[in-house]
Amino acid sequence: PRLSGVHADLDLRLPYRRLSDAASRKSPLSAFDGVISGMLAVRAEAIEGAASLQGLDSTIGLNGRVDFENTRVAFSGTSQVMATLDGVTSGTMQGRALRVTAQDMTLRSDLALDAASALTLDGPLSVKAGAFTQDALSLNDAALDLSGFSLAHGSEGTDLSFEGRAVAARAAQGDLSLDGVTARLEGTGRLGPDAYEIALTTDVNG
């Protein structure tokens, strides 16, 4: 991706303990096993790649335990994400004035250089958009509040499940338009390298 006007701030607290010679030869990075906390703030004027992002301002926090073993690192704890975007474009999808918030999400990861990695994420997720369009669908002043969101990523793809509600001040699809739309959402999905599928149950009122 091409980056423009990027600035990052990292505040990280890592544990450290002196290892015996035998333990150091077995896994030198295990000296950093223990409780970790950190905050990463990233701002960017633009990021151009598979999607085009403008005006990114984001903060990511981690609190938990990390364990190293040779080429593997495991983390178990909580994460917090807050991000705003002036705009995003990907194919026929466009969003403006976006805000993503995820507080106290449970995060578990097992990352490896020489084997398949795994990651799970569970917790509430909120997305707000001043405007959103994709093909003939358009939404204004929309919000998606998922009280339950779960994501599991592994070697065979990514599985997710979610439940919550969505609202929009105005929704339009072709010649049909509704004001004051609310919808209950519940579904599951699978994301693969070449395709994705979503099973969705919803009740829409407007």
Side-chain angles (χ1 to χ4, degrees):
R2 298 195 306 273
L3 309 178
S4 175
V6 176
H7 179 83
D9 292 306
L10 175 64
D11 182 3
L12 182 64
R13 296 185 180 183
L14 276 173
Y16 178 79
R17 58 191 175 90
R18 186 179 297 277
L19 299 176
S20 66
D21 291 342
S24 181
R25 286 192 298 270
K26 181 180 179 181
S27 180
L29 288 178
S30 62
F32 298 100
D33 289 354
V35 176
I36 182 177
S37 64
M39 189 72 69
L40 173 64
V42 178
R43 296 187 298 275
E45 294 178 4
I47 301 176
E48 301 289 342
S52 175
L53 310 180
Q54 299 85 39
L56 170 67
D57 190 344
S58 64
T59 303
I60 302 172
L62 289 176
N63 292 277
R65 179 178 176 84
V66 64
D67 292 285
F68 293 89
E69 183 178 351
N70 294 328
T71 59
R72 304 181 71 92
V73 55
F75 175 85
S76 178
T78 60
S79 64
Q80 305 84 35
V81 177
M82 183 176 292
T84 60
L85 279 165
D86 292 340
V88 58
T89 302
S90 178
T92 61
M93 185 272 288
Q94 290 185 326
R96 179 175 55 81
L98 300 170
R99 183 182 183 89
V100 179
T101 306
Q103 295 289 343
D104 296 327
M105 299 194 83
T106 301
L107 172 64
R108 295 181 179 87
S109 64
D110 186 359
L111 309 179
L113 296 177
D114 55 357
S117 297
L119 180 145
T120 61
L121 191 62
D122 295 278
L125 176 67
S126 171
V127 181
K128 296 182 179 180
F132 174 88
T133 61
Q134 183 166 19
D135 298 321
L137 172 67
S138 66
L139 305 172
N140 292 100
D141 293 329
L144 175 66
D145 290 306
L146 299 179
S147 56
F149 176 79
S150 177
L151 180 148
H153 175 76
S155 59
E156 297 183 357
T158 302
D159 293 304
L160 57 90
S161 63
F162 54 88
E163 62 178 352
R165 65 189 297 267
V167 299
R170 184 176 181 83
Q173 174 90 44
D175 295 331
L176 174 66
S177 65
L178 296 170
D179 293 328
V181 176
T182 63
R184 179 187 62 84
L185 304 174
E186 183 176 351
T188 59
R190 168 169 276 270
L191 311 179
D194 302 315
Y196 68 91
E197 58 184 36
I198 300 290
L200 177 65
T201 300
T202 181
D203 294 323
V204 179
N205 297 286

